[in-house]
Amino acid sequence: MKKSTLLLTAGLLFGSLFLPSCLNDDDDVNRLYPNALVTVKHAGDKTVFLQLDDKTTLLPVNLTTSPFGEKEVRALVNYKEVDIPSSGYDQAVHVSWIDSIRTKGMVPNLGDENDQKYGNDPVEIVRDWVTIAEDGYLTLRFRTEWGYPRVVHYVNLFSTNNPENPYEVEFRHNANGDIGGRLGDGLVAFRLDSLPDTQGETVKLKLKWRSFSGEKSAEFDYKTRAATPASPAIAAERSVIPLQ
């Protein structure tokens, strides 16, 4: 998902990987902001590439290895298209910086034990360009209360096991007692590979969550992603806020 600008919540991006750049001074301000949300992947020949959406691939010509090792993660990135061969990818790009988003799989639905295991503290899902289902992930920008000093918050996603809708999922937030502070935003991405294969069709993915004003839901267009050759196992990445 590409986007030209994003107003950042303070601290949303921290410790981003900045790379040597040959861009001119006129681009310096634009380089401060992410212009895309991507999945960092490895091809069968170990080439690092960026999946921009369900169909578009980017070859980062100034990245010979992934800054996240062999892990597949969702990430915010600032890049610029360059006019050089893209070696079979849709576009060659120069990456100015890239910052990983907390990336994790879904968890089991434990029924009556969900509240105890995953918490049920309120949270708002922010309607934003980074709140999207694409490339087999549900990426969410969420808003909740953060105290100081910050403690670890836990966020998870599980299937509701709705027999009438196998693509219904629930977002859970455990503030770990950290309530009553200032509102702040976080980003998290969930791998949806435990959901039934959509067989190439686009379906409605229903997300449920408990907000500060009660139960809410939203729908996303969702299609099971195509396999990536030699795709590495998903692994959790760092977040700039205390988040698990």
Side-chain angles (χ1 to χ4, degrees):
M1 178 68 179
K2 184 176 179 181
K3 183 72 175 181
S4 57
T5 59
L6 172 66
L7 295 178
L8 297 178
T9 301
L12 183 59
L13 290 180
F14 173 83
S16 303
L17 175 69
F18 281 82
L19 301 172
S21 175
C22 59
L23 305 181
N24 59 49
D25 292 340
D26 294 337
D27 292 319
D28 286 347
V29 174
N30 290 333
R31 288 178 57 209
L32 295 176
Y33 302 97
N35 58 7
L37 172 67
V38 301
T39 310
V40 182
K41 297 182 177 180
H42 295 75
D45 61 358
K46 305 301 183 182
T47 298
V48 178
F49 70 97
L50 309 178
Q51 189 80 38
L52 182 61
D53 51 38
D54 287 330
K55 297 180 179 179
T56 309
T57 56
L58 307 175
L59 178 66
V61 296
N62 59 327
L63 282 181
T64 56
T65 60
S66 169
F68 315 115
E70 295 184 356
K71 302 169 184 175
E72 179 180 302
V73 298
R74 295 284 276 170
L76 292 170
V77 64
N78 180 282
Y79 75 89
K80 185 174 183 178
E81 295 181 357
V82 292
D83 188 19
I84 62 176
S86 57
S87 304
Y89 296 90
D90 293 311
Q91 179 65 51
V93 298
H94 183 283
V95 172
S96 299
W97 59 260
I98 188 168
D99 193 19
S100 63
I101 293 172
R102 178 71 179 178
T103 305
K104 58 193 303 184
M106 295 176 63
V107 294
N109 186 331
L110 302 178
D112 293 339
E113 299 179 13
N114 284 330
D115 286 0
Q116 180 179 357
K117 180 66 175 180
Y118 306 126
N120 198 22
D121 292 313
V123 65
E124 301 293 347
I125 302 298
V126 182
R127 183 176 294 182
D128 190 73
W129 66 276
V130 293
T131 296
I132 190 172
E134 65 179 2
D135 192 38
Y137 290 90
L138 179 62
T139 305
L140 300 173
R141 178 177 177 179
F142 64 94
R143 182 169 295 154
T144 193
E145 296 173 333
W146 305 89
Y148 187 83
R150 289 180 175 176
V151 301
V152 175
H153 287 225
Y154 298 90
V155 290
N156 285 289
L157 188 78
F158 57 76
S159 170
T160 63
N161 295 336
N162 184 348
E164 298 181 357
N165 183 5
Y167 303 103
E168 184 178 272
V169 295
E170 185 170 338
F171 180 82
R172 286 297 186 101
H173 169 228
N174 183 352
N176 204 16
D178 183 28
I179 57 176
R182 294 184 177 182
L183 291 177
D185 291 6
L187 288 175
V188 63
F190 296 100
R191 182 75 176 267
L192 301 174
D193 55 349
S194 60
L195 295 180
D197 197 316
T198 65
Q199 303 298 322
E201 300 295 324
T202 298
V203 301
K204 291 297 183 182
L205 175 72
K206 184 175 182 179
L207 172 69
K208 301 174 65 178
W209 72 95
R210 179 180 173 237
S211 77
F212 287 92
S213 58
E215 302 299 324
K216 290 186 179 180
S217 66
E219 289 188 333
F220 301 82
D221 290 334
Y222 169 67
K223 180 173 67 174
T224 302
R225 85 176 196 186
T228 300
S231 177
I234 186 172
E237 267 300 305
R238 143 188 90 70
S239 175
V240 298
I241 57 178
L243 182 67
Q244 290 292 335

